[in-house]
Amino acid sequence: MKITRQLICLALVPAFLCACAREDAPAQEGGGGHAYKSVTKWCEPIDIFGFQPENRYAYCPSVLEMEDGSCHMFFCGNPEAGKMVDNIYHIEIKADGTKTLPVSVLQPTPDTWDSYHCCDPSVIRGNFRMGGVDYKYAMFYLGIDKADCKGNEVGVAFSNDLNATSWVKYPKQIVAFPDDRDKAWGVGQPSAFSLDREGSVLLTYTRGDTKGTGVLFCRLDMSDMDNLKVGGAKSVSSMGFNISLHNCDFAVDETNQKVVGVFSGTCPDVYPSYIESYQCVAYTALDLFLEGKGTWTRLPNIDSSVTGFYRNHNACLLRDEYGYLKTYRIPSVFYTVSGTAHIAEWSYHIYRVDSVIEKVEVTG
């Protein structure tokens, strides 16, 4: 669920399609005494999915890349045209680019804490047990029981199949928001990655309360959900940014011990003023991240110069089943675009953009 509305404001792409170069590393000496700089470029965006021309939205994806090159995308959508009630949908994107039809796989449950919206999925693999049943996959999500979008909380559901048409919910919140439920946005927009490929998970989430907005993280032991262990919360470092962090997704480059994040930027002051105009991408050291420390090194923003749209929001990183990526230097990002006409939500559409690194010769 978009915090901004209430609180703050498939194959590889050939290098010749890339644009929007930005320097992100110092000059290096090359052969023959030439100096070079490493430059990150975002490539031509790839259209992934939208419900248009229906009055329905598709946004806030979570995407898992499989070994065969296929991807499983979970995202937030509304089943009934013209009615803003969130379900979580699934699409499989085959290695050849073909897609399965969207299927609602997680819905609000009547008379419970998540009886109105289920949104903001983040899916990872591990080994989880609940009620004596073992599961391979966990889906973290935002839930709420009322329409005013205050008092959001974080829950989790389980499955043994990414193509499942329904997931089994843990019966209560794993990150609750008991205080100021009628005054503040709450907690939500979860992102998770595995710490051990088993039951240990690092969960991040946005918290918006009467004191402000930020991103927190905690460790979870989910090996036995009947004895769930939730560690103390710490703040994600915002060093390297001059904005309040919110609505983030994270992934780990295990080889280089880096964490990559995609972060929502700022909102414009014209309609739709509750939707961000750009996404930030950055990386930092994994060990410092886990201590709530570290300074983020910025990559190019994903803005209108990259996407061709003036609203770019609710993004995720392309990750494997455990929340890892191949290299922190050239991430792939799935993001949501929006038009500016009334009603903006009906224009929400998901795109993908990949990045490459080039060495540019420095003269003079």
Short mmCIF file of all heavy atoms in Angstrom, two decimals, residues 216-268:
data_model
loop_
_atom_site.label_atom_id
_atom_site.label_comp_id
_atom_site.label_asym_id
_atom_site.label_seq_id
_atom_site.Cartn_x
_atom_site.Cartn_y
_atom_site.Cartn_z
N LEU A 216 12.79 0.21 9.36
CA LEU A 216 13.35 -0.60 10.43
C LEU A 216 13.63 -2.01 9.93
O LEU A 216 13.13 -2.42 8.88
CB LEU A 216 12.39 -0.68 11.61
CG LEU A 216 11.92 0.65 12.21
CD1 LEU A 216 10.93 0.40 13.34
CD2 LEU A 216 13.09 1.48 12.71
N PHE A 217 14.45 -2.75 10.69
CA PHE A 217 14.65 -4.16 10.36
C PHE A 217 14.74 -4.96 11.65
O PHE A 217 15.08 -4.45 12.72
CB PHE A 217 15.89 -4.37 9.49
CG PHE A 217 17.21 -4.13 10.19
CD1 PHE A 217 17.86 -5.18 10.84
CD2 PHE A 217 17.81 -2.88 10.18
CE1 PHE A 217 19.08 -4.97 11.48
CE2 PHE A 217 19.02 -2.67 10.81
CZ PHE A 217 19.67 -3.71 11.46
N CYS A 218 14.43 -6.25 11.52
CA CYS A 218 14.57 -7.17 12.64
C CYS A 218 14.88 -8.55 12.10
O CYS A 218 14.61 -8.86 10.94
CB CYS A 218 13.31 -7.20 13.51
SG CYS A 218 11.82 -7.75 12.64
N ARG A 219 15.45 -9.38 12.95
CA ARG A 219 15.72 -10.78 12.60
C ARG A 219 14.56 -11.64 13.08
O ARG A 219 14.03 -11.44 14.17
CB ARG A 219 17.03 -11.25 13.24
CG ARG A 219 18.28 -10.56 12.69
CD ARG A 219 19.50 -10.98 13.48
NE ARG A 219 20.70 -10.29 13.09
CZ ARG A 219 21.66 -10.79 12.31
NH1 ARG A 219 21.53 -12.04 11.85
NH2 ARG A 219 22.73 -10.10 12.00
N LEU A 220 14.19 -12.59 12.23
CA LEU A 220 13.13 -13.52 12.56
C LEU A 220 13.67 -14.95 12.53
O LEU A 220 14.40 -15.31 11.60
CB LEU A 220 11.98 -13.42 11.56
CG LEU A 220 11.35 -12.05 11.29
CD1 LEU A 220 10.31 -12.17 10.19
CD2 LEU A 220 10.74 -11.48 12.56
N ASP A 221 13.31 -15.74 13.52
CA ASP A 221 13.52 -17.19 13.46
C ASP A 221 12.17 -17.80 13.15
O ASP A 221 11.30 -17.90 14.02
CB ASP A 221 14.08 -17.72 14.78
CG ASP A 221 14.35 -19.22 14.73
OD1 ASP A 221 13.94 -19.88 13.75
OD2 ASP A 221 14.95 -19.74 15.69
N MET A 222 11.98 -18.22 11.90
CA MET A 222 10.71 -18.74 11.42
C MET A 222 10.76 -20.25 11.19
O MET A 222 9.90 -20.80 10.50
CB MET A 222 10.31 -18.01 10.13
CG MET A 222 10.16 -16.51 10.32
SD MET A 222 9.88 -15.62 8.76
CE MET A 222 8.41 -16.43 8.13
N SER A 223 11.76 -20.90 11.74
CA SER A 223 11.88 -22.35 11.54
C SER A 223 10.69 -23.10 12.14
O SER A 223 10.31 -24.16 11.66
CB SER A 223 13.19 -22.86 12.13
OG SER A 223 13.31 -22.49 13.49
N ASP A 224 10.11 -22.52 13.20
CA ASP A 224 8.90 -23.09 13.80
C ASP A 224 7.98 -21.93 14.14
O ASP A 224 8.17 -21.23 15.14
CB ASP A 224 9.24 -23.88 15.07
CG ASP A 224 8.02 -24.50 15.74
OD1 ASP A 224 6.90 -24.37 15.18
OD2 ASP A 224 8.18 -25.09 16.81
N MET A 225 6.97 -21.71 13.30
CA MET A 225 6.08 -20.56 13.49
C MET A 225 5.23 -20.70 14.75
O MET A 225 4.68 -19.70 15.23
CB MET A 225 5.20 -20.37 12.26
CG MET A 225 5.95 -19.94 11.01
SD MET A 225 6.80 -18.35 11.20
CE MET A 225 5.41 -17.22 11.40
N ASP A 226 5.12 -21.91 15.29
CA ASP A 226 4.43 -22.07 16.56
C ASP A 226 5.27 -21.56 17.72
O ASP A 226 4.79 -21.44 18.84
CB ASP A 226 4.07 -23.54 16.78
CG ASP A 226 3.11 -24.05 15.71
OD1 ASP A 226 2.32 -23.24 15.19
OD2 ASP A 226 3.18 -25.25 15.38
N ASN A 227 6.54 -21.26 17.41
CA ASN A 227 7.45 -20.67 18.40
C ASN A 227 8.25 -19.56 17.72
O ASN A 227 9.47 -19.51 17.82
CB ASN A 227 8.37 -21.74 18.99
CG ASN A 227 9.20 -21.23 20.15
OD1 ASN A 227 8.79 -20.33 20.89
ND2 ASN A 227 10.39 -21.78 20.31
N LEU A 228 7.54 -18.68 17.02
CA LEU A 228 8.17 -17.59 16.26
C LEU A 228 8.99 -16.70 17.19
O LEU A 228 8.52 -16.28 18.24
CB LEU A 228 7.10 -16.76 15.56
CG LEU A 228 7.55 -15.46 14.89
CD1 LEU A 228 8.47 -15.76 13.72
CD2 LEU A 228 6.33 -14.66 14.43
N LYS A 229 10.21 -16.38 16.75
CA LYS A 229 11.08 -15.48 17.50
C LYS A 229 11.33 -14.22 16.67
O LYS A 229 11.80 -14.31 15.53
CB LYS A 229 12.40 -16.16 17.86
CG LYS A 229 12.26 -17.36 18.79
CD LYS A 229 13.61 -17.97 19.10
CE LYS A 229 13.49 -19.11 20.11
NZ LYS A 229 12.72 -20.25 19.54
N VAL A 230 10.99 -13.07 17.23
CA VAL A 230 11.16 -11.78 16.56
C VAL A 230 12.18 -10.97 17.34
O VAL A 230 11.96 -10.65 18.52
CB VAL A 230 9.83 -11.01 16.47
CG1 VAL A 230 10.03 -9.68 15.76
CG2 VAL A 230 8.78 -11.85 15.75
N GLY A 231 13.30 -10.64 16.70
CA GLY A 231 14.34 -9.85 17.35
C GLY A 231 13.96 -8.39 17.47
O GLY A 231 12.98 -7.92 16.89
N GLY A 232 14.76 -7.67 18.23
CA GLY A 232 14.53 -6.24 18.40
C GLY A 232 14.74 -5.47 17.12
O GLY A 232 15.57 -5.83 16.28
N ALA A 233 13.97 -4.40 16.95
CA ALA A 233 14.02 -3.60 15.72
C ALA A 233 15.15 -2.57 15.78
O ALA A 233 15.41 -1.98 16.84
CB ALA A 233 12.70 -2.90 15.49
N LYS A 234 15.81 -2.37 14.64
CA LYS A 234 16.81 -1.33 14.47
C LYS A 234 16.45 -0.51 13.23
O LYS A 234 15.76 -1.00 12.33
CB LYS A 234 18.20 -1.93 14.27
CG LYS A 234 18.77 -2.66 15.47
CD LYS A 234 20.18 -3.14 15.16
CE LYS A 234 20.81 -3.86 16.35
NZ LYS A 234 22.20 -4.31 16.05
N SER A 235 16.97 0.69 13.18
CA SER A 235 16.73 1.55 12.01
C SER A 235 17.74 1.25 10.92
O SER A 235 18.93 1.04 11.19
CB SER A 235 16.84 3.02 12.40
OG SER A 235 15.81 3.40 13.28
N VAL A 236 17.27 1.22 9.68
CA VAL A 236 18.16 1.14 8.52
C VAL A 236 18.86 2.49 8.37
O VAL A 236 18.22 3.55 8.43
CB VAL A 236 17.38 0.80 7.25
CG1 VAL A 236 18.26 0.95 6.00
CG2 VAL A 236 16.81 -0.61 7.33
N SER A 237 20.16 2.46 8.19
CA SER A 237 20.92 3.70 8.03
C SER A 237 20.44 4.49 6.83
O SER A 237 20.17 3.92 5.76
CB SER A 237 22.41 3.38 7.86
OG SER A 237 23.13 4.55 7.49
N SER A 238 20.35 5.80 6.99
CA SER A 238 19.97 6.67 5.88
C SER A 238 21.15 7.52 5.41
O SER A 238 20.97 8.45 4.62
CB SER A 238 18.82 7.59 6.30
OG SER A 238 19.19 8.42 7.39
N MET A 239 22.37 7.20 5.88
CA MET A 239 23.55 7.94 5.46
C MET A 239 23.74 7.81 3.94
O MET A 239 23.71 6.71 3.41
CB MET A 239 24.79 7.42 6.18
CG MET A 239 24.77 7.67 7.68
SD MET A 239 24.85 9.44 8.07
CE MET A 239 26.53 9.80 7.51
N GLY A 240 23.91 8.93 3.28
CA GLY A 240 24.01 8.96 1.82
C GLY A 240 22.75 9.48 1.17
O GLY A 240 22.72 9.71 -0.04
N PHE A 241 21.68 9.67 1.98
CA PHE A 241 20.42 10.22 1.49
C PHE A 241 20.08 11.49 2.26
O PHE A 241 20.45 11.64 3.43
CB PHE A 241 19.28 9.21 1.68
CG PHE A 241 19.35 8.02 0.77
CD1 PHE A 241 19.98 6.86 1.19
CD2 PHE A 241 18.80 8.06 -0.50
CE1 PHE A 241 20.06 5.75 0.36
CE2 PHE A 241 18.87 6.96 -1.33
CZ PHE A 241 19.50 5.80 -0.91
N ASN A 242 19.37 12.37 1.61
CA ASN A 242 18.87 13.57 2.29
C ASN A 242 17.35 13.57 2.35
O ASN A 242 16.72 14.61 2.43
CB ASN A 242 19.37 14.84 1.59
CG ASN A 242 18.96 14.91 0.13
OD1 ASN A 242 18.27 14.01 -0.37
ND2 ASN A 242 19.36 15.96 -0.56
N ILE A 243 16.77 12.36 2.30
CA ILE A 243 15.32 12.19 2.39
C ILE A 243 15.03 11.12 3.43
O ILE A 243 15.90 10.32 3.79
CB ILE A 243 14.70 11.76 1.03
CG1 ILE A 243 15.34 10.45 0.54
CG2 ILE A 243 14.85 12.86 -0.01
CD1 ILE A 243 14.69 9.88 -0.72
N SER A 244 13.81 11.12 3.96
CA SER A 244 13.37 10.07 4.87
C SER A 244 13.15 8.79 4.07
O SER A 244 12.44 8.79 3.06
CB SER A 244 12.08 10.46 5.58
OG SER A 244 12.27 11.60 6.40
N LEU A 245 13.74 7.70 4.52
CA LEU A 245 13.59 6.44 3.81
C LEU A 245 12.21 5.85 4.05
O LEU A 245 11.67 5.91 5.15
CB LEU A 245 14.65 5.44 4.25
CG LEU A 245 16.11 5.84 4.04
CD1 LEU A 245 17.03 4.69 4.41
CD2 LEU A 245 16.36 6.31 2.62
N HIS A 246 11.63 5.28 3.00
CA HIS A 246 10.36 4.58 3.10
C HIS A 246 10.18 3.75 1.85
O HIS A 246 10.83 3.99 0.83
CB HIS A 246 9.18 5.55 3.27
CG HIS A 246 8.90 6.39 2.06
ND1 HIS A 246 9.69 7.44 1.68
CD2 HIS A 246 7.91 6.31 1.13
CE1 HIS A 246 9.21 7.99 0.58
NE2 HIS A 246 8.13 7.32 0.21
N ASN A 247 9.33 2.74 1.92
CA ASN A 247 8.95 1.97 0.73
C ASN A 247 10.17 1.44 -0.01
O ASN A 247 10.41 1.79 -1.17
CB ASN A 247 8.07 2.82 -0.19
CG ASN A 247 7.17 1.95 -1.05
OD1 ASN A 247 7.23 0.73 -1.01
ND2 ASN A 247 6.34 2.60 -1.85
N CYS A 248 10.93 0.56 0.66
CA CYS A 248 12.21 0.07 0.13
C CYS A 248 12.15 -1.43 -0.14
O CYS A 248 11.33 -2.16 0.42
CB CYS A 248 13.32 0.33 1.14
SG CYS A 248 13.39 2.00 1.81
N ASP A 249 13.05 -1.87 -1.00
CA ASP A 249 13.28 -3.30 -1.20
C ASP A 249 14.78 -3.52 -1.17
O ASP A 249 15.56 -2.68 -1.65
CB ASP A 249 12.69 -3.78 -2.53
CG ASP A 249 12.73 -5.30 -2.66
OD1 ASP A 249 12.48 -5.99 -1.66
OD2 ASP A 249 13.01 -5.81 -3.77
N PHE A 250 15.21 -4.67 -0.62
CA PHE A 250 16.64 -4.93 -0.46
C PHE A 250 16.99 -6.32 -0.99
O PHE A 250 16.15 -7.23 -1.03
CB PHE A 250 17.02 -4.86 1.03
CG PHE A 250 16.78 -3.52 1.64
CD1 PHE A 250 15.61 -3.28 2.36
CD2 PHE A 250 17.69 -2.49 1.49
CE1 PHE A 250 15.37 -2.04 2.94
CE2 PHE A 250 17.46 -1.24 2.06
CZ PHE A 250 16.30 -1.01 2.78
N ALA A 251 18.24 -6.46 -1.41
CA ALA A 251 18.76 -7.74 -1.89
C ALA A 251 20.24 -7.82 -1.53
O ALA A 251 20.91 -6.80 -1.37
CB ALA A 251 18.57 -7.88 -3.40
N VAL A 252 20.76 -9.04 -1.45
CA VAL A 252 22.13 -9.27 -1.01
C VAL A 252 22.98 -9.80 -2.15
O VAL A 252 22.57 -10.73 -2.86
CB VAL A 252 22.15 -10.28 0.17
CG1 VAL A 252 23.58 -10.64 0.55
CG2 VAL A 252 21.41 -9.71 1.37
N ASP A 253 24.16 -9.20 -2.34
CA ASP A 253 25.21 -9.75 -3.18
C ASP A 253 26.13 -10.51 -2.23
O ASP A 253 26.96 -9.92 -1.54
CB ASP A 253 25.96 -8.62 -3.90
CG ASP A 253 27.14 -9.12 -4.72
OD1 ASP A 253 27.61 -10.26 -4.50
OD2 ASP A 253 27.63 -8.34 -5.57
N GLU A 254 25.95 -11.83 -2.16
CA GLU A 254 26.66 -12.64 -1.19
C GLU A 254 28.15 -12.68 -1.46
O GLU A 254 28.97 -12.65 -0.54
CB GLU A 254 26.07 -14.05 -1.17
CG GLU A 254 26.51 -14.90 -0.02
CD GLU A 254 25.76 -16.22 0.04
OE1 GLU A 254 25.30 -16.70 -1.00
OE2 GLU A 254 25.64 -16.77 1.15
N THR A 255 28.54 -12.73 -2.73
CA THR A 255 29.95 -12.82 -3.08
C THR A 255 30.72 -11.60 -2.61
O THR A 255 31.82 -11.70 -2.05
CB THR A 255 30.10 -12.98 -4.60
OG1 THR A 255 29.43 -14.16 -5.02
CG2 THR A 255 31.57 -13.06 -4.99
N ASN A 256 30.16 -10.43 -2.85
CA ASN A 256 30.84 -9.18 -2.51
C ASN A 256 30.40 -8.60 -1.17
O ASN A 256 30.85 -7.52 -0.80
CB ASN A 256 30.60 -8.15 -3.62
CG ASN A 256 31.26 -8.55 -4.92
OD1 ASN A 256 32.48 -8.60 -5.02
ND2 ASN A 256 30.44 -8.85 -5.92
N GLN A 257 29.50 -9.32 -0.46
CA GLN A 257 29.05 -8.89 0.86
C GLN A 257 28.51 -7.46 0.84
O GLN A 257 28.90 -6.59 1.65
CB GLN A 257 30.17 -9.03 1.89
CG GLN A 257 30.51 -10.49 2.22
CD GLN A 257 29.38 -11.19 2.96
OE1 GLN A 257 29.14 -10.92 4.14
NE2 GLN A 257 28.67 -12.09 2.28
N LYS A 258 27.59 -7.23 -0.11
CA LYS A 258 26.92 -5.94 -0.24
C LYS A 258 25.41 -6.12 -0.13
O LYS A 258 24.87 -7.18 -0.43
CB LYS A 258 27.22 -5.30 -1.59
CG LYS A 258 28.71 -5.06 -1.88
CD LYS A 258 29.27 -3.93 -1.07
CE LYS A 258 30.69 -3.60 -1.52
NZ LYS A 258 31.31 -2.54 -0.68
N VAL A 259 24.74 -5.06 0.30
CA VAL A 259 23.29 -4.99 0.24
C VAL A 259 22.92 -3.90 -0.76
O VAL A 259 23.48 -2.80 -0.74
CB VAL A 259 22.67 -4.64 1.60
CG1 VAL A 259 21.17 -4.38 1.47
CG2 VAL A 259 22.90 -5.77 2.59
N VAL A 260 22.00 -4.22 -1.67
CA VAL A 260 21.48 -3.25 -2.62
C VAL A 260 20.07 -2.88 -2.18
O VAL A 260 19.30 -3.74 -1.73
CB VAL A 260 21.45 -3.82 -4.05
CG1 VAL A 260 20.92 -2.79 -5.03
CG2 VAL A 260 22.83 -4.28 -4.47
N GLY A 261 19.74 -1.60 -2.28
CA GLY A 261 18.40 -1.16 -1.96
C GLY A 261 17.82 -0.31 -3.07
O GLY A 261 18.54 0.38 -3.78
N VAL A 262 16.51 -0.40 -3.24
CA VAL A 262 15.79 0.55 -4.09
C VAL A 262 14.82 1.28 -3.17
O VAL A 262 14.10 0.66 -2.38
CB VAL A 262 15.07 -0.13 -5.27
CG1 VAL A 262 14.09 -1.21 -4.83
CG2 VAL A 262 14.37 0.90 -6.15
N PHE A 263 14.83 2.61 -3.23
CA PHE A 263 14.15 3.47 -2.27
C PHE A 263 13.24 4.44 -3.00
O PHE A 263 13.62 4.97 -4.06
CB PHE A 263 15.16 4.29 -1.46
CG PHE A 263 16.27 3.50 -0.83
CD1 PHE A 263 17.39 3.12 -1.56
CD2 PHE A 263 16.21 3.13 0.50
CE1 PHE A 263 18.42 2.40 -0.98
CE2 PHE A 263 17.22 2.40 1.09
CZ PHE A 263 18.34 2.04 0.36
N SER A 264 12.09 4.73 -2.42
CA SER A 264 11.21 5.73 -3.01
C SER A 264 11.78 7.12 -2.79
O SER A 264 12.30 7.44 -1.71
CB SER A 264 9.81 5.64 -2.40
OG SER A 264 9.15 4.49 -2.86
N GLY A 265 11.67 7.96 -3.82
CA GLY A 265 12.16 9.32 -3.75
C GLY A 265 11.11 10.26 -3.18
O GLY A 265 10.29 9.89 -2.34
N THR A 266 11.13 11.49 -3.65
CA THR A 266 10.21 12.50 -3.14
C THR A 266 9.02 12.68 -4.08
O THR A 266 9.03 12.25 -5.22
CB THR A 266 10.93 13.85 -2.98
OG1 THR A 266 11.49 14.23 -4.24
CG2 THR A 266 12.05 13.74 -1.95
N CYS A 267 8.00 13.33 -3.55
CA CYS A 267 6.77 13.55 -4.30
C CYS A 267 6.71 14.98 -4.84
O CYS A 267 7.20 15.91 -4.19
CB CYS A 267 5.55 13.32 -3.40
SG CYS A 267 5.47 11.65 -2.71
N PRO A 268 6.11 15.18 -5.99
CA PRO A 268 5.94 16.53 -6.53
C PRO A 268 4.80 17.25 -5.79
O PRO A 268 4.10 16.65 -4.98
CB PRO A 268 5.58 16.28 -7.99
CG PRO A 268 4.87 14.96 -7.96
CD PRO A 268 5.55 14.15 -6.88
#
